[in-house]
Amino acid sequence: MNHRALFSHLDSILRLHHIEEEDINKIKTAYDFAAKLHAGQYRVSEEPYIVHPVEVACILASLQADTDTIIAALLHDILEDTDTQPETIKKKFGDDILNLVNGVTKLSKFSFSSREERQAENFRKMFLAMADDIRVVFLKLADRLHNMRTLNYMKPLKQKEIAQETIEIFSPLANRLGMGKIRSELEDLSLRYINPEKYFEIAQLVSQSKMERDQTIQAIIAKMHSGLKNTGINATIMGRAKNYYSIYTKMKRQQKTFQELYDVTAVRVIVDNEKECYEVLGIIHSTFKPIPGRFKDYIAMPKNNLYRSLHTSVIGPRGKPVEVQIRSQEMHEEAEYGIAAHWKYKEHGSVNAANDSDKKFSWLRKLIEFQQDIKDAKEYVDNVKLDLFSDQVFVFSPKGDVIDLPNGAVPIDFAYRIHTEVGNKCNGALVNGRIVPLDRKLKNGDIIEIITNKNANPRLDWINIVATAQARTRIRQWFKKNTKEQHIAQGRAILDNEIEKSKLEEIYKDNKLEEIAKQLNYHSEADMMAALGYGEISIKKILNKVKTEEERPRLPTLKIPRAKNTKEIIGLEGLLYHISKCCFPVPGEPIVGVITRSRGVSVHREDCKCLLNVEKERMMEISWANAERNKIYIARVLVEVIDRIGVFKDVLGKISDNKTNITHATIKTRGKNFAVIEIGLEIRDIEHLNKIMKGILNISDVVSVKRQQTNSGPSSANRT
């Protein structure tokens, strides 16, 4: 398709949806600009690259998106795939369009430790941009839809990967926004590549039963028209086949065959207004026998994605059940296009532009709350999927405020949604005026009142009870803080005891502890005390900072065996030595040499507990050389965690992200709710180790990460 034909295709769609001539000219300017910059670029399908942004713009035009969004669609790959600077777009098209383009531009120019981390950051960026301007997600969904339509040109492994991502993120997002038309196509296309065998099996079954279904539907429609004939209601009645993915999930969930499903096809009745919806419902129930328990009023109680409709199931011709949906034209547009049909956002895409009292979009603001609470990108995206893409229940506060929570939420979730302190001090709950257990699942319409007690604290088992990421994060934060205070007290007790024995009371003078904390890379004295309390740092390392130069051991004069190559350690030139297995020192951290009787010099960490029993005359000052390293060292790490399913996998995943080999790993439970993971790592130097330990510490449910000391361990491995 040449460039003139391409824009003609877009132009016809714009005119079909009554875009003004002035706006069409602006869109043509953007098209010319994009076509020029993408000239010479081709997609995997070997089509000119400009085809993709034009198709994305066409999808958005069919959603009746505003002019700025369509222009941004034409420009959405400019920053990523060309040398164009943001200032150029700002100057030519304005701030609004630049912000939209930035919102969908991937983070390809930044450095990440893994593909997973990059992808998680891309999603986090998209979610936050979406919370600022909802049109960003229109762009992203249209972009993904066209990519899915052309996925057949990708390699099979890539097809499955992209399809899985689509079904986990983009399809639920389209559903959450009420964009049923896009959601259905994304789901079907995803199923085609994730499970092609099941996709084509369902497609064949649907095709084979089409004639029988059509006959049933036509008989129902004829009977409905007859019933509506004298009412004066102008109704459009049509049959609607369920999409393949819906059929697939229903068969899987209910453990039924295709032949056992009765709502593969539904009848949809579209009328002029809400009043007529209920009138038509009465006529249908008087014409066909309704099935008890199968009526749902989504008009009186809309779904959380704005969906409104009446659903009922009746016994149709030949005794087969049929689902009937009744809605107004406005409701139908909302069901097909979701938020895109609510053009309170058409001129001002910002969520904040909507009336703050409108609770329908409060979930978008939660994206910002998650960002503040959860720093790890992968955990952030997992929690967005858990909290925002699950089915919702709507409950009420005693004042009548509506609170939406994920399906499976309990009173504790409600308490933390009200305020962190309400959750922390939660001591009980009243649901509909009756005291209930805190693990009682909430239902639509429940009225919740939280009972608090100033002496109450969260319980660790709440983490396994709550359904919201917000509650889970707040509980973890409380326990981390509480545990830290205990470790600070424990650290101070260790220090006081050692100071009394060593007679080094001067450590308490002139903020010396604060200075030592800074020297040891801790933010404050309290942080250092906490580290001492849970074993991250030894008391010897702190006391060594107090000793004067005169007190430090000098090089001994004892005879030591010679070795040919000792370039890695300064002070051991020509001497035979070995890396101690009790503390496993690694390059970059302070070390001490200990002269042994037969094995030369044993190299220890400066804070090694074994040094407490070594005579000073056997110790010697040494340090790591700055030479290029081609050796791998073993480090042992202890990770204290709140015990829950998947935490071990998360820890191993963070190590894998840093491209680090694991020599061994064991888990030991400690009490009912805690566990300790012992891991052996192949490390280049202390920076490498610190990066891994910091990454592990950022994982939810990790309480502490510290080096382990032991009397035995695996030998260090040499690599060239």
Side-chain angles (χ1 to χ4, degrees):
M1 189 183 289
N2 61 38
H3 283 207
R4 182 174 293 180
L6 263 177
F7 187 76
S8 175
H9 172 52
L10 176 59
D11 181 65
S12 62
I13 293 175
L14 295 171
R15 294 185 188 282
L16 179 67
H17 292 286
H18 310 294
I19 304 293
E20 298 290 334
E21 192 67 37
E22 180 184 350
D23 289 335
I24 291 177
N25 290 335
K26 288 180 185 176
I27 293 168
K28 187 177 189 312
T29 301
Y31 168 80
D32 291 337
F33 181 73
K36 183 178 179 181
L37 288 168
H38 285 302
Q41 295 180 346
Y42 294 88
R43 304 191 82 210
V44 178
S45 62
E46 299 183 357
E47 289 179 314
Y49 196 89
I50 189 63
V51 170
H52 171 63
V54 168
E55 290 295 342
V56 173
C58 288
I59 292 168
L60 287 164
S62 68
L63 292 174
Q64 302 181 47
D66 66 329
T67 301
D68 282 357
T69 309
I70 295 170
I71 290 173
L74 291 167
L75 306 177
H76 78 274
D77 281 331
I78 293 288
L79 293 181
E80 189 177 346
D81 295 338
T82 75
D83 294 329
T84 308
Q85 296 302 308
E87 293 74 20
T88 305
I89 294 178
K90 180 179 177 180
K91 186 176 180 181
K92 195 169 182 67
F93 299 101
D95 279 326
D96 200 30
I97 290 169
L98 174 60
N99 290 335
L100 288 170
V101 173
N102 269 328
V104 292
T105 299
K106 296 187 184 73
L107 304 173
S108 57
K109 296 180 182 178
F110 294 87
S111 176
F112 297 99
S113 62
S114 67
R115 186 191 64 79
E116 290 79 8
E117 184 183 347
R118 179 192 298 278
Q119 191 66 306
E121 284 291 356
N122 278 327
F123 284 129
R124 172 152 68 176
K125 180 175 183 284
M126 181 189 75
F127 291 138
L128 295 177
M130 180 180 82
D132 187 53
D133 189 332
I134 193 64
R135 294 173 297 175
V136 168
V137 82
F138 297 165
L139 269 166
K140 199 66 184 173
L141 286 171
D143 177 45
R144 178 51 61 113
L145 180 57
H146 184 250
N147 283 334
M148 289 298 294
R149 287 174 178 174
T150 55
L151 198 58
N152 57 302
Y153 295 103
M154 306 294 284
K155 293 180 179 178
L157 190 63
K158 194 71 175 172
Q159 288 175 344
K160 195 164 186 176
E161 182 183 302
I162 293 171
Q164 193 66 45
E165 183 182 272
T166 301
I167 210 71
E168 288 180 359
I169 297 284
F170 292 99
S171 170
L173 186 56
N175 181 56
R176 198 64 161 81
L177 296 168
M179 303 170 80
K181 198 170 185 179
I182 287 181
R183 186 211 75 211
S184 295
E185 189 173 352
L186 287 175
E187 287 177 344
D188 283 355
L189 289 168
S190 297
L191 180 62
R192 178 177 178 179
Y193 296 104
I194 293 171
N195 194 338
E197 185 179 331
K198 189 59 70 175
Y199 172 87
F200 288 110
E201 177 191 333
I202 292 171
Q204 186 177 14
L205 288 168
V206 169
S207 175
Q208 288 172 350
S209 61
K210 185 176 184 302
M211 183 178 294
E212 183 185 346
R213 288 197 323 276
D214 285 350
Q215 289 173 353
T216 302
I217 293 301
Q218 290 306 316
I220 291 172
I221 290 174
K223 212 165 184 180
M224 284 186 185
H225 274 304
S226 177
L228 292 169
K229 190 174 182 181
N230 300 318
T231 63
I233 295 174
N234 179 31
T236 302
I237 308 173
M238 65 191 82
R240 179 199 66 88
K242 269 188 181 291
N243 65 315
Y244 296 164
Y245 184 77
S246 293
I247 296 171
Y248 166 72
T249 54
K250 198 153 195 174
M251 288 168 63
K252 192 175 178 182
R253 186 175 65 250
Q254 297 182 1
Q255 295 293 301
K256 289 184 176 181
T257 64
F258 178 83
Q259 288 73 20
E260 291 174 308
L261 298 179
Y262 66 80
D263 56 352
V264 171
T265 301
V267 174
R268 182 173 291 159
V269 184
I270 300 174
V271 294
D272 291 335
N273 54 57
E274 183 179 311
K275 179 174 175 287
E276 291 179 349
C277 291
Y278 290 98
E279 291 177 8
V280 168
L281 176 68
I283 292 167
I284 290 171
H285 279 183
S286 64
T287 307
F288 301 98
K289 185 178 181 180
I291 300 174
R294 295 291 303 173
F295 170 65
K296 293 177 183 175
D297 189 344
Y298 293 120
I299 296 178
M301 184 67 80
K303 288 187 179 182
N304 59 333
N305 62 3
L306 307 180
Y307 178 86
R308 294 184 298 157
S309 189
L310 297 177
H311 287 198
T312 187
S313 293
V314 298
I315 302 297
R318 303 176 189 176
K320 292 194 173 182
V322 178
E323 183 182 74
V324 181
Q325 301 171 355
I326 310 162
R327 61 179 69 153
S328 69
Q329 183 62 38
E330 180 186 354
M331 294 173 196
H332 178 63
E333 289 181 10
E334 289 173 2
E336 294 290 289
Y337 306 119
I339 280 182
H342 287 252
W343 281 122
K344 66 165 67 174
Y345 297 97
K346 195 163 186 176
E347 295 178 5
H348 303 285
S350 171
V351 171
N352 295 322
N355 186 336
D356 283 340
S357 65
D358 188 354
K359 302 294 184 184
K360 294 173 183 175
F361 303 104
S362 61
W363 63 276
L364 286 171
R365 298 184 184 92
K366 293 179 200 169
L367 296 171
I368 301 295
E369 293 175 20
F370 284 160
Q371 163 70 4
Q372 293 166 349
D373 294 336
I374 303 171
K375 299 305 178 187
D376 182 80
K378 186 177 183 301
E379 184 189 354
Y380 174 80
V381 174
D382 288 344
N383 280 300
V384 166
K385 288 194 287 188
L386 176 69
D387 250 24
L388 300 186
F389 299 155
S390 59
D391 292 334
Q392 302 280 293
V393 292
F394 293 89
V395 296
F396 298 91
S397 71
K399 294 180 179 179
D401 295 327
V402 180
I403 306 293
D404 61 308
L405 294 165
N407 193 28
V410 297
I412 304 167
D413 293 293
F414 179 87
Y416 278 103
R417 178 63 58 81
I418 299 302
H419 194 277
T420 299
E421 278 308 298
V422 174
N424 288 342
K425 300 301 178 186
C426 176
N427 197 40
L430 293 170
V431 175
N432 304 323
R434 293 186 178 182
I435 293 178
V436 298
L438 289 176
D439 61 354
R440 190 261 207 190
K441 299 286 192 295
L442 300 179
K443 298 176 182 175
N444 275 321
D446 281 345
I447 301 171
I448 319 297
E449 185 176 351
I450 299 299
I451 303 168
T452 59
N453 185 319
K454 64 180 181 180
N455 297 318
N457 291 317
R459 296 208 322 259
L460 199 56
D461 62 339
W462 285 4
I463 288 174
N464 300 320
I465 295 171
V466 296
T468 61
Q470 181 187 28
R472 196 171 291 110
T473 301
R474 297 288 193 267
I475 295 165
R476 288 169 182 152
Q477 287 173 346
W478 189 92
F479 272 97
K480 278 200 174 185
K481 181 182 177 183
N482 188 62
T483 305
K484 183 178 178 181
E485 289 170 353
Q486 291 177 354
H487 284 148
I488 289 173
Q490 190 176 351
R492 289 199 185 282
I494 294 170
L495 180 66
D496 291 343
N497 184 53
E498 196 63 34
I499 292 299
E500 189 177 340
K501 286 195 297 183
S502 305
K503 311 231 181 269
L504 291 171
E505 287 79 5
E506 66 267 25
I507 198 172
Y508 294 120
K509 299 176 183 177
D510 304 322
N511 291 323
K512 193 163 281 187
L513 277 174
E514 196 71 35
E515 292 174 15
I516 291 171
K518 300 294 183 190
Q519 291 173 27
L520 294 172
N521 298 318
Y522 290 101
H523 290 298
S524 66
E525 178 189 332
D527 287 345
M528 183 175 71
M529 289 298 101
L532 177 61
Y534 60 68
E536 181 180 282
I537 187 174
S538 72
I539 184 65
K540 187 177 188 307
K541 196 165 188 177
I542 296 174
L543 295 182
N544 278 346
K545 293 294 180 182
V546 189
K547 293 179 180 179
T548 62
E549 286 295 320
E550 288 73 23
E551 292 175 306
R552 293 189 180 181
R554 300 299 176 188
L555 284 170
T557 55
L558 299 177
K559 187 175 180 181
I560 305 170
R562 315 299 289 179
K564 291 182 179 179
N565 184 11
T566 53
K567 291 182 180 179
E568 67 177 338
I569 298 178
I570 298 171
L572 293 181
E573 290 81 358
L575 302 180
L576 183 68
Y577 72 95
H578 64 275
I579 303 297
S580 169
K581 294 180 182 178
C582 59
C583 58
F584 293 102
V586 297
E589 62 183 339
I591 51 176
V592 172
V594 175
I595 301 169
T596 67
R597 293 186 182 276
S598 59
R599 299 183 63 203
V601 178
S602 177
V603 179
H604 295 255
R605 286 183 0 221
E606 192 181 75
D607 60 352
C608 179
K609 292 177 182 177
C610 294
L611 299 179
L612 295 172
N613 301 317
V614 175
E615 302 90 342
K616 288 186 178 180
E617 60 269 18
R618 290 179 56 207
M619 298 170 66
M620 55 191 298
E621 291 181 340
I622 58 176
S623 61
W624 295 101
N626 292 322
E628 184 178 345
R629 309 189 197 286
N630 58 4
K631 189 174 180 181
I632 294 296
Y633 298 81
I634 301 298
R636 289 191 169 192
V637 174
L638 290 179
V639 184
E640 186 181 12
V641 300
I642 297 170
D643 198 7
R644 56 115 171 135
I645 295 172
V647 69
F648 185 51
K649 180 183 175 185
D650 291 345
V651 171
L652 296 186
K654 188 62 69 173
I655 295 169
S656 176
D657 288 347
N658 284 281
K659 297 179 174 61
T660 303
N661 285 334
I662 298 172
T663 61
H664 73 283
T666 59
I667 305 176
K668 295 179 182 177
T669 56
R670 181 183 290 175
K672 185 178 180 182
N673 298 308
F674 287 90
V676 175
I677 305 171
E678 178 192 318
I679 307 172
L681 304 171
E682 293 187 351
I683 299 296
R684 295 185 302 275
D685 52 36
I686 193 65
E687 287 185 11
H688 183 192
L689 178 60
N690 285 341
K691 184 180 178 184
I692 294 169
M693 291 175 69
K694 183 178 179 182
I696 295 173
L697 193 58
N698 285 333
I699 297 171
S700 322
D701 297 328
V702 170
V703 177
S704 69
V705 184
K706 59 187 177 183
R707 297 279 292 281
Q708 183 194 26
Q709 292 200 131
T710 180
N711 292 325
S712 63
S715 302
S716 58
N718 287 303
R719 287 186 176 178
T720 56

